[in-house]
Amino acid sequence: MIKQMTSHSNAIVWLDIPVSNLPRAISFYQAVLNFDLVSTQSNPDMATLMKQGSTSGLSLLSIPNVTPTPNAMLPYFNCEGRLEQAVSIAKLEGGKVLQAIHSMEPFGHRAVLQDVDGNRFAVHSS
């Protein structure tokens, strides 16, 4: 039997995203997702994003032998109510639009973007 997720569950618990320039990636993701990233004290080559009250997060990693790739997994980030704004900001911050905002009915709308390191990701709004 498949267990139904509760409204407080997240399908994605955590993501590690490889980056080539940590300060640039922090600036990009803070602007696009409208979250604050914090540098971890234990690892100066990593920044972590957690939204207040969330059980999921993302880390940006600038470490040798882990490189960005445009065809890896496609994470979806919640941009509820600000999808157009997130796409515009991504372009202003040096990202690219790979697929413009489009319907995924019955699952809302998304755009597929590329960050400043070439990683693909989607921004989503129901």
Side-chain angles (χ1 to χ4, degrees):
M1 174 180 257
I2 297 174
K3 183 179 176 186
Q4 294 290 333
M5 290 177 46
T6 67
S7 62
H8 300 295
S9 298
N10 293 307
I12 296 175
V13 176
W14 201 269
L15 295 171
D16 287 343
I17 298 178
V19 301
S20 60
N21 180 312
L22 189 59
R24 179 182 69 179
I26 290 170
S27 176
F28 179 85
Y29 279 101
Q30 282 185 150
V32 172
L33 299 179
N34 199 29
F35 290 179
D36 286 329
L37 284 151
V38 294
S39 294
T40 59
Q41 299 298 76
S42 62
N43 186 346
D45 297 325
M46 182 171 98
T48 301
L49 175 146
M50 288 291 291
K51 188 171 183 179
Q52 185 73 21
S54 176
T55 58
S56 63
L58 108 88
S59 290
L60 303 174
L61 304 171
S62 179
I63 52 180
N65 302 321
V66 178
T67 57
T69 178
N71 295 314
M73 125 177 99
L74 181 64
Y76 282 62
F77 296 117
N78 183 358
C79 289
E80 190 65 41
R82 53 179 300 280
L83 193 56
E84 290 178 8
Q85 180 184 13
V87 171
S88 294
I89 290 171
K91 290 190 291 188
L92 288 172
E93 293 290 324
K96 295 180 183 173
V97 177
L98 301 178
Q99 293 178 9
I101 297 172
H102 59 278
S103 175
M104 298 173 49
E105 289 305 325
F107 302 108
H109 292 80
R110 77 169 186 180
V112 178
L113 307 175
Q114 188 175 58
D115 73 12
V116 292
D117 284 296
N119 296 300
R120 289 182 322 140
F121 67 100
V123 288
H124 178 268
S125 181
S126 58

